[in-house]
Amino acid sequence: MLMTKFVYKALTAKGEMIFGSKEEADQTAVVQFLRHSGYVPVSVTKQSWLKGIFNLRREKQQAPLSPTHLLTFFSELATLLDAGLTVDQSLKRMERLASSRVLKDTLAALHQGVAGGESLAKAMAAQGQRFTDLHINMVLAGETGGHLPQVMNELAHYQETMALLRRQLISALTYPLILLIMSILSIVMMMTYVIPKFVPLFEGAEQTIPWLTQQVFAVADFFEQSWWLPLVIFIVLALAIDTLQKQKAGKVWLDGKVLKLPVIGSLVTAVNIGRFSQSMASMLTHGVGLIESVNMASGSINNGKIKQALTEVAKQVSNGSSLAKALTSFSCFPGLLTELVEIGEQTGQLEPMFSKVAKAYQQQVEDKTKQLLNLVEPILIIGLGGIIGVIIISIMLAMLGLNDLVR
C-alpha cells in the first residue's frame, strides 16, 4: 500500500498544541491515530515535496499577537459577551471592526473555526503561537464551566496588568538609557573634535606638558585614530549576549547574573514574580489544576533563571511536595511569595494569596522604578560632569604652563 506523509496539529488533554508528521494511507487514518492517542485533531494536511521539513518549522514560528492586540481581543470579546452576543456573533463583529491586519486575519480564522462547530479554545489553539497555553487553557476552563464572559474579563484584566508592568519597566530604563547614550556621545565628540584642536598649540612649545594633559591627549588620539575599535567591541559583545540568550543554558546563566545586580536585579525579580502571581491567580480562579497552572504561568516569565526554577517546582509538586516547600528550595523566589503561598495552602485560600502577591509586587515595581531613577540619574550626571571637568582642568593646566613659558 502506498503511504503518504501528512503534517498534523493536535490539541492535548491539557490544551497544549502539538505538531508532528506521520505516514499513513490517507488523511482519515491520521485522524484516527490522533484520536486513539488521546489528542484532538486540529488540522491534517498532506506534506508536499516543496514544503518538506520546513512546514513544521513555519508553523512553530508563527508570530504571536502583540500585547496590544491581545488586550484589544480579550477586552472587546468580554464586552460583547456581557452584552448577550454569542461567541460567533462577537467574533464576526470584531473582525469587521478590526483595524490591524494581523488581528483581523486572526479573528477571521477564529470565526471560521467557531462557525464550523469548533470550541473557541480549539480555534485559538489552531492559530499556533498567536495565543499562549495560558490563554487557551483559561478559555477552555471558561467554556467547560459555562462562565466564558467572566474568563474573558479576567484575561483582559490580566493583559492590562502585564501591560502596566511592562510600561513600568520600560519607563524605569528609558530615561537612564537616553542619558547614558547622550553622555557617551558628548565625551566622544569632545575627544574626537574638541581636544584635537588644542594639540597643535603645545606641539612646538618648549615645555613639559602636564601628566593629566598627556593622558587626555592620548585618549583623544586613540579616539581619532581608532574610533572604530570601541564600536567593534560593542558589536561583538552584543552578538555574544544575543547568542547566549538564544541558547537555553546561556540564557539561564546570563539571566541568573542579572538577578544578582544591585537594584536592577530586584526590579527584574519583582516584575517576573508579579507576572507569575497574576497568572496563577487567574488560572486557579477558573479551575485550572495547580501543576498545570505552574507550568503555564512559567510561560509569562521572561527571565530564564526563574523560568527554569518554575519547571523544577512543577516537578516537585507533581511528586507530592507542597508548592511553598518547592518554591523555598530556589533562591530566586523571595520570602514574601513563599510565606504567603504557605499560608494560602494551609488555609485553602491559595488563589486570594496569589492575588495579594501580585498586587504587592506591582507596588514594588513602582517603588523600585523610582529608586532606580533616583539612583542612576545623579550617577550619570556626576560621572559626565567629572569627565568633562577632568578634560577642562587638563587643558587649563597646559595653558597655564604655556603662559609661564611666554613670561
Side-chain angles (χ1 to χ4, degrees):
M1 181 182 295
L2 181 62
M3 305 293 280
T4 305
K5 192 168 187 178
F6 292 90
V7 175
Y8 64 81
K9 291 190 295 183
L11 199 63
T12 69
K14 295 181 179 180
E16 298 175 349
M17 178 65 70
I18 62 170
F19 302 84
S21 61
K22 185 170 179 59
E23 290 186 355
E24 288 288 356
D26 52 33
Q27 193 176 32
T28 304
V30 180
V31 172
Q32 291 176 348
F33 162 76
L34 291 171
R35 287 175 176 168
H36 290 159
S37 301
Y39 301 128
V40 178
V42 174
S43 68
V44 179
T45 56
K46 185 185 296 186
Q47 179 174 291
S48 69
W49 67 270
L50 184 61
K51 294 180 181 178
I53 61 172
F54 300 104
N55 189 57
L56 289 176
R57 186 173 181 82
R58 186 174 65 252
E59 291 287 348
K60 291 183 179 180
Q61 291 182 343
Q62 186 179 21
L65 290 176
S66 68
T68 303
H69 288 155
L70 287 172
L71 177 58
T72 301
F73 173 79
F74 289 120
S75 58
E76 289 185 0
L77 186 53
T79 301
L80 293 173
L81 291 176
D82 284 336
L85 273 68
T86 64
V87 175
D88 184 19
Q89 294 170 335
S90 300
L91 291 172
K92 187 175 182 179
R93 286 178 179 269
M94 291 168 64
E95 179 191 350
R96 188 169 65 248
L97 297 174
S99 57
S100 166
R101 171 53 57 186
V102 173
L103 185 57
K104 195 177 192 71
D105 291 344
T106 303
L107 287 167
L110 292 176
H111 177 248
Q112 182 180 2
V114 172
E118 294 180 350
S119 67
L120 178 57
K122 183 178 179 181
M124 289 170 64
Q127 300 307 304
Q129 294 185 356
R130 294 287 192 212
F131 300 95
T132 66
D133 289 345
L134 183 149
H135 298 141
I136 295 168
N137 277 272
M138 285 189 63
V139 170
L140 183 61
E143 289 180 307
T144 304
H147 46 261
L148 187 58
Q150 294 92 322
V151 169
M152 287 299 164
N153 280 302
E154 187 69 32
L155 283 170
H157 173 68
Y158 169 79
Q159 291 299 141
E160 288 175 356
T161 303
M162 295 300 103
L164 177 60
L165 290 172
R166 191 179 298 105
R167 286 196 301 269
Q168 289 173 339
L169 185 59
I170 291 174
S171 66
L173 299 177
T174 300
Y175 178 68
L177 185 61
I178 292 174
L179 194 58
L180 178 62
I181 292 173
M182 293 304 297
S183 300
I184 293 174
L185 289 177
S186 299
I187 294 169
V188 170
M189 288 289 290
M190 290 193 69
M191 289 296 182
T192 307
Y193 297 102
V194 178
I195 299 301
K197 295 184 182 298
F198 286 92
V199 175
L201 297 176
F202 306 100
E203 285 182 342
E206 296 180 358
Q207 73 170 100
T208 302
I209 300 176
W211 178 86
L212 183 60
T213 309
Q214 293 179 23
Q215 303 309 309
V216 171
F217 284 177
V219 173
D221 182 65
F222 170 79
F223 273 97
E224 191 174 15
Q225 301 296 328
S226 306
W227 57 268
W228 50 269
L229 186 58
L231 185 61
V232 170
I233 294 174
F234 174 79
I235 293 174
V236 170
L237 287 175
L239 290 174
I241 292 173
D242 183 63
T243 302
L244 279 175
Q245 287 283 358
K246 290 178 179 178
Q247 298 174 355
K248 185 176 180 181
K251 180 174 175 57
V252 170
W253 177 83
L254 193 61
D255 288 353
K257 298 298 181 183
V258 171
L259 294 179
K260 295 179 181 179
L261 293 175
V263 183
I264 294 178
S266 58
L267 176 61
V268 172
T269 298
V271 170
N272 282 278
I273 297 302
R275 287 175 176 173
F276 168 70
S277 301
Q278 184 64 49
S279 302
M280 289 294 295
S282 298
M283 285 183 288
L284 291 174
T285 299
H286 296 289
V288 180
L290 180 60
I291 298 173
E292 291 81 1
S293 296
V294 174
N295 280 321
M296 286 184 289
S298 65
S300 64
I301 302 299
N302 291 329
N303 185 275
K305 185 71 173 179
I306 297 178
K307 180 176 287 190
Q308 183 190 55
L310 285 173
T311 301
E312 294 301 319
V313 165
K315 290 179 181 178
Q316 291 186 24
V317 173
S318 65
N319 291 330
S321 172
S322 68
L323 179 58
K325 184 179 179 180
L327 290 170
T328 307
S329 60
F330 296 93
S331 59
C332 56
F333 298 113
L336 176 62
L337 172 66
T338 56
E339 289 292 332
L340 290 181
V341 167
E342 184 176 5
I343 294 172
E345 288 182 311
Q346 291 174 352
T347 60
Q349 299 292 316
L350 193 55
E351 178 274 320
M353 284 301 173
F354 271 117
S355 296
K356 290 181 179 180
V357 173
K359 291 178 181 178
Y361 279 98
Q362 184 177 339
Q363 184 61 48
Q364 276 198 28
V365 170
E366 294 180 12
D367 295 340
K368 291 183 182 299
T369 298
K370 295 176 183 177
Q371 181 184 356
L372 182 63
L373 289 174
N374 294 334
L375 179 65
V376 171
E377 184 177 353
I379 290 176
L380 289 177
I381 292 174
I382 293 171
L384 176 62
I387 293 172
I388 294 176
V390 168
I391 294 173
I392 293 174
I393 291 172
S394 68
I395 298 298
M396 289 186 66
L397 287 174
M399 294 294 290
L400 290 173
L402 187 60
N403 288 337
D404 292 340
L405 184 63
V406 171
R407 291 176 186 175

